[in-house]
Amino acid sequence: MPLIEIPVSRITDWESFHDVWASTLGFPSFYGRNMDAWIDCLTYVDEGDGMSNVVVADGDVLTLRLDEGKAFRDRCPDLYAATVECAAFVNWRRLETGRRAIIAVAFA
């Protein structure tokens, strides 16, 4: 199971949010820097289609470990909520189309 450390301690606003996620997961240069684009990049993380440098093997789950998760929640509640809600949406979207859930979020 791949475990990716997300340095949310570097996130202070929406711009830095998208910078951190794009650089950590290797989103493509045309990444739209909005939550719809974030969802799209993570929905297909098992397809190796260039939407992320991280590719999850068949049957695996991608665990996103947020460093300093509580501090992130307290410092940027809207960005924290967007992370949790949109990760859940990625899984829901996949389940609705007969695929398995693929994202787990862990908090340090």
Side-chain angles (χ1 to χ4, degrees):
M1 170 172 27
L3 171 67
I4 304 295
E5 299 278 341
I6 308 298
V8 295
S9 57
R10 295 184 3 218
I11 296 174
T12 57
D13 55 18
W14 282 106
E15 183 175 341
S16 60
F17 175 92
H18 291 292
D19 289 342
V20 164
W21 284 96
S23 66
T24 303
L25 293 176
F27 292 166
S29 60
F30 58 85
Y31 169 60
R33 300 180 64 82
N34 60 60
M35 293 315 289
D36 288 336
W38 188 95
I39 288 166
D40 287 343
C41 287
L42 289 175
T43 296
Y44 307 104
V45 76
D46 60 339
E47 294 186 9
D49 60 359
M51 296 302 286
S52 173
N53 287 342
V54 176
V55 179
V56 177
D58 189 37
D60 254 344
V61 171
L62 173 61
T63 300
L64 304 170
R65 184 175 184 265
L66 309 184
D67 76 336
E68 301 181 23
K70 183 180 181 320
F72 179 48
R73 182 193 69 206
D74 294 344
R75 184 181 68 255
C76 304
D78 54 335
L79 302 174
Y80 174 89
T83 301
V84 172
E85 291 169 12
C86 290
F89 184 81
V90 166
N91 288 334
W92 174 85
R93 181 188 209 188
R94 290 176 58 90
L95 293 169
E96 284 293 302
T97 60
R99 293 176 291 168
R100 63 185 172 71
I102 197 161
I103 302 293
V105 180
F107 305 93

